[in-house]
Amino acid sequence: MAAMKVRIRKGECVGNARCQAIAPALYPLDEEGYIDTEGFVVSAGDEKAALNGARACPERIIFVLEDDDGTERQVWPPVKS
């Protein structure tokens, strides 16, 4: 099974906090209301919450990746072909 990772362009966060509203345990905020992580490896069972939190970000600065044997594939946001 592929491992899921989340990468965040933290410096581009504008503080909407929609990710945190959806998945507070995965998307912590700093004291000013901005995302307080640049990313994490998603624990088993948290995949849906991680993806839904990323989808809630209107700036699309949260990237969900699946790593299958060293090959990363971007799951969110959709990659334009």
Side-chain angles (χ1 to χ4, degrees):
M1 182 174 202
M4 184 178 277
K5 300 176 184 177
V6 170
R7 294 211 177 110
I8 302 169
R9 292 193 307 232
K10 184 177 173 180
E12 295 179 40
C13 178
V14 298
N16 283 312
R18 292 181 185 175
C19 59
Q20 204 268 342
I22 298 293
L26 300 178
Y27 296 98
L29 302 180
D30 65 17
E31 61 279 347
E32 295 177 4
Y34 296 95
I35 193 73
D36 198 25
T37 181
E38 292 184 358
F40 52 91
V41 174
V42 180
S43 299
D46 285 337
E47 296 92 350
K48 185 175 180 180
L51 184 56
N52 287 341
R55 287 179 173 160
C57 178
E59 283 75 37
R60 291 193 172 184
I61 63 164
I62 302 174
F63 297 84
V64 178
L65 309 164
E66 285 187 348
D67 187 337
D68 191 14
D69 296 325
T71 303
E72 284 189 346
R73 178 178 66 89
Q74 185 172 312
V75 177
W76 184 261
V79 179
K80 296 179 182 179
S81 34

